[in-house]
Amino acid sequence: MHKILIIDDEKDICFLISEILKDEKYLTYSAQNSSEAISFFSKYNPDLVILDVWLSNSKLDGIEILQEFKNINKNIPVIIISGHGTVDLAVSAIKNGAYDFLEKPFNSDKLIILAKRAIESSKLQNENIDL
């Protein structure tokens, strides 16, 4: 069973994403700020991270958390989400190693497809490294 870490300062959003992914048989964990996120990342070693860019009451923003995760595991797929998406923000996220960028509100089917693709892509990268 694949593990997904969801990071958003809004508990309702974490819950919503979690329910969508649980229906697809994923195991989910949620964090509301950067310290929880980094702690959970180390503890659970997720297969995918879904990360909001703007986190209130958080030491680091989403891009900084993305960089931290990439320093720990450069092949971890991270889908960035934002309710205030701009082209510049999306480009910045991708340049910093994000797998993709989703603007809120997003279509649940699109989220599911992206999650499956991101995990599969990461799995293939890791298999290639092992070979």
Side-chain angles (χ1 to χ4, degrees):
M1 184 177 283
H2 293 292
K3 299 174 284 188
I4 301 177
L5 175 57
I6 303 158
I7 306 157
D8 196 305
D9 57 334
E10 296 178 54
K11 283 187 179 175
D12 292 351
I13 299 287
C14 287
F15 179 76
L16 175 70
I17 295 171
S18 180
E19 290 301 303
I20 291 167
L21 295 171
K22 281 180 185 174
D23 285 348
E24 298 297 313
K25 308 293 183 243
Y26 292 110
L27 188 59
T28 63
Y29 304 95
S30 298
Q32 270 78 55
N33 59 50
S34 58
S35 28
E36 278 182 11
I38 292 165
S39 170
F40 283 14
F41 187 83
S42 300
K43 184 176 179 180
Y44 298 114
N45 190 26
D47 300 297
L48 171 65
V49 175
I50 298 174
L51 172 61
D52 189 9
V53 173
W54 310 114
L55 300 170
S56 59
N57 303 318
S58 181
K59 201 161 92 174
L60 305 176
D61 68 24
I63 299 295
E64 293 166 324
I65 296 170
L66 169 64
Q67 292 166 338
E68 285 286 319
F69 290 168
K70 288 294 181 172
N71 286 336
I72 297 167
N73 175 358
K74 68 179 178 146
N75 291 328
I76 185 71
V78 179
I79 297 171
I80 297 286
I81 58 175
S82 177
H84 312 284
T86 64
V87 172
D88 288 345
L89 184 58
V91 168
S92 174
I94 301 299
K95 276 186 179 176
N96 279 284
Y99 178 79
D100 211 331
F101 183 90
L102 263 181
E103 202 171 348
K104 295 178 196 173
F106 46 79
N107 175 304
S108 58
D109 289 338
K110 187 171 183 179
L111 176 68
I112 292 164
I113 290 166
L114 262 182
K116 285 180 182 172
R117 282 188 188 155
I119 290 170
E120 189 59 34
S121 173
S122 174
K123 194 170 130 190
L124 289 171
Q125 282 179 340
N126 289 329
E127 286 173 4
N128 283 338
I129 289 166
D130 291 344
L131 290 174

